[in-house]
Amino acid sequence: MSLIIYEDMQYLSEKYISIFSELENKKILLTGSSGMIMSYMAEFLVHLSHKYSLNIKLYLHGRNLVRMKQRHKDILDYDNVVLLSFDLLNPLDIDINFDYIIHGASPAGTKSFLENPVGTILPNVYGIKNILDFAKTHNSKVCFFSSNAIYGNVDKKTISENDYGIVDPLSDRACYIESKKLAEQLCIAYYKQYGVKTTIARIPFTYGPTYDLQTDTRALPRFIRNIIEDKDIEIFEDSTLLQYTYVADVISAVLYIILNENAIGQAYNIATSATMDMQQIIKTLISIDKCIKSKLILKEDKDNYYFKKDKNINLSMIDNKKLKMLGWKEHYNFESGLRRTFLGIQEKY
């Protein structure tokens, strides 16, 4: 575990122990555990359990055991950490009574939407159905990772959980958006019809030191990789404000939701209150260390620029008031989060 992540864990566990102590002796399944958010969640739960002797039994799911062992190498020596490899497209053939299932397994990223739309839709829909069927028979509580993309085009500056707009079902991103929307409806249907306790976490752009720079093709990890490799960063001129949330704030919010009985059958926006455009983000990253040689190079905006061309990308600000009413609050601003992200990744390279 990197020093940066360890410091995050210490801080969060001390802030929230009065709430997170409810996880004592619980069995928790994390699907898609090799992802950026879930790998961080896994490390946090192990740290929390070890520090406060909570005896949490953690089950980490993935399809590739080799990758999982590499991704979770820092926590595999701890007691009560179990790796599970199975395909979520099939019914779960597992005889374990999980108390909580946090379902974060989902294809993400523009490349997946463009090149593998069927492979984007089916895991989102069949994956949550199989999770819910399992939860129905094993009395597990489920938290589903959705996205702010489900709102579509909303003509408002700030979007709350009750604001919905139009989604073009024939667009490139519709495979992701519509399958996430159907997955949310399945969560609510299983809650209403079968009493399965479900909560929905709508997560916008998330960043953190658990980025996998070798496989993650999204903008921020690509730019961080450029900086580490002393390469310049080229972007189109664009002043669009982005709402990135530091991963530590995201996982604390998810746990806050799943442990709150008032959140059952509800959806919550998980997001910071701050925004920053991509130029500011890159300038902040470049200024972290005087030794950084990379420079920001602005390109002229073109009509084929993806964020300009694709009208289904929702870049409105996400309102987090409903989440804050549960008692949650953010602890990392953009500057501190970006610094922690870069330094945490730099430790590994």
Side-chain angles (χ1 to χ4, degrees):
M1 182 183 298
S2 75
L3 176 60
I4 290 292
I5 294 178
Y6 178 77
E7 289 173 352
D8 288 350
M9 304 292 167
Q10 287 283 91
Y11 179 79
L12 285 180
S13 59
E14 291 171 5
K15 283 287 181 182
Y16 291 109
I17 184 55
S18 62
I19 297 165
F20 296 166
S21 60
E22 294 179 32
L23 295 173
E24 185 173 9
N25 297 320
K26 296 296 190 291
K27 296 177 181 177
I28 305 173
L29 170 64
L30 305 184
T31 68
S33 70
S34 296
M36 190 267 281
I37 297 175
M38 281 306 204
S39 60
Y40 193 102
M41 174 79 78
E43 292 196 28
F44 176 71
L45 289 173
V46 167
H47 177 86
L48 184 73
S49 181
H50 182 70
K51 182 175 181 179
Y52 294 101
S53 302
L54 296 182
N55 191 38
I56 298 170
K57 193 72 174 279
L58 191 61
Y59 297 84
L60 306 178
H61 156 267
R63 288 181 299 174
N64 188 325
L65 271 176
V66 174
R67 182 169 183 241
M68 289 174 67
K69 288 178 180 178
Q70 175 62 28
R71 190 65 156 154
H72 300 300
K73 61 184 179 181
D74 291 337
I75 60 175
L76 288 181
D77 289 337
Y78 284 84
D79 293 336
N80 293 343
V81 175
V82 179
L83 299 184
L84 297 176
S85 180
F86 56 88
D87 191 343
L88 281 165
L89 292 181
N90 302 317
L92 275 63
D93 184 19
I94 304 170
D95 190 21
I96 302 171
N97 291 319
F98 303 118
D99 296 287
Y100 299 101
I101 301 175
I102 302 178
H103 182 43
S106 175
T110 301
K111 185 176 181 180
S112 175
F113 309 153
L114 295 176
E115 299 179 3
N116 192 16
V118 174
T120 298
I121 294 169
L122 296 184
N124 281 336
V125 178
Y126 284 103
I128 188 60
K129 179 189 180 299
N130 290 325
I131 289 291
L132 292 168
D133 282 335
F134 180 89
K136 175 185 167 186
T137 57
H138 290 76
N139 196 32
S140 306
K141 189 173 181 181
V142 177
C143 181
F144 170 64
F145 276 22
S146 187
S147 167
N148 68 314
I150 63 100
Y151 290 114
N153 288 317
V154 182
D155 190 20
K156 293 183 69 174
K157 289 184 179 180
T158 305
I159 300 174
S160 72
E161 286 81 355
N162 297 318
D163 295 319
Y164 300 98
I166 297 171
V167 175
D168 176 2
L170 303 185
S171 69
D172 290 337
R173 288 173 61 85
C175 60
Y176 178 76
I177 299 170
E178 299 288 19
S179 58
K180 283 291 188 182
K181 290 172 72 174
L182 180 54
E184 284 198 15
Q185 178 51 224
L186 279 170
C187 287
I188 299 305
Y190 270 73
Y191 168 57
K192 291 179 177 178
Q193 189 167 341
Y194 303 121
V196 178
K197 294 181 178 180
T198 60
T199 57
I200 297 165
R202 291 176 180 161
I203 302 172
F205 299 115
T206 304
Y207 68 103
T210 44
Y211 273 138
D212 184 346
L213 298 191
Q214 304 305 316
T215 61
D216 201 321
T217 59
R218 289 172 290 186
L220 260 186
R222 284 192 287 112
F223 298 153
I224 292 172
R225 184 168 60 244
N226 279 12
I227 293 173
I228 290 175
E229 295 175 354
D230 292 331
K231 296 178 181 178
D232 292 334
I233 300 171
E234 293 187 1
I235 63 170
F236 288 103
E237 290 187 79
D238 189 348
S239 59
T240 302
L241 293 177
L242 303 172
Q243 193 175 15
Y244 276 91
T245 305
Y246 187 57
V247 64
D249 280 332
V250 172
I251 65 107
S252 68
V254 169
L255 293 176
Y256 225 96
I257 290 171
I258 204 169
L259 289 170
N260 195 311
E261 289 296 312
N262 294 325
I264 296 172
Q266 298 287 319
Y268 289 87
N269 290 332
I270 295 179
T272 182
S273 300
T275 57
M276 189 181 282
D277 66 41
M278 190 55 78
Q279 290 185 44
Q280 292 173 300
I281 290 172
I282 295 171
K283 287 177 181 177
T284 301
L285 285 170
I286 291 174
S287 67
I288 287 172
D289 191 326
K290 293 180 179 179
C291 296
I292 291 175
K293 300 177 182 177
S294 302
K295 296 181 179 62
L296 171 62
I297 300 174
L298 296 178
K299 299 187 292 183
E300 185 179 349
D301 188 358
K302 302 289 184 182
D303 288 338
N304 63 351
Y305 172 40
Y306 188 75
F307 281 96
K308 183 175 183 178
K309 181 180 69 171
D310 194 320
K311 303 302 182 183
N312 271 316
I313 297 178
N314 194 334
L315 297 174
S316 298
M317 189 168 178
I318 305 301
D319 191 337
N320 61 14
K321 289 179 183 176
K322 183 178 177 182
L323 177 61
K324 286 186 172 181
M325 287 177 65
L326 290 180
W328 175 87
K329 62 180 181 179
E330 59 198 275
H331 292 280
Y332 298 88
N333 60 30
F334 243 140
E335 288 76 11
S336 66
L338 285 171
R339 180 177 180 81
R340 301 189 71 73
T341 295
F342 181 79
L343 294 179
I345 290 174
Q346 195 178 45
E347 286 183 56
K348 298 182 290 186
Y349 288 86

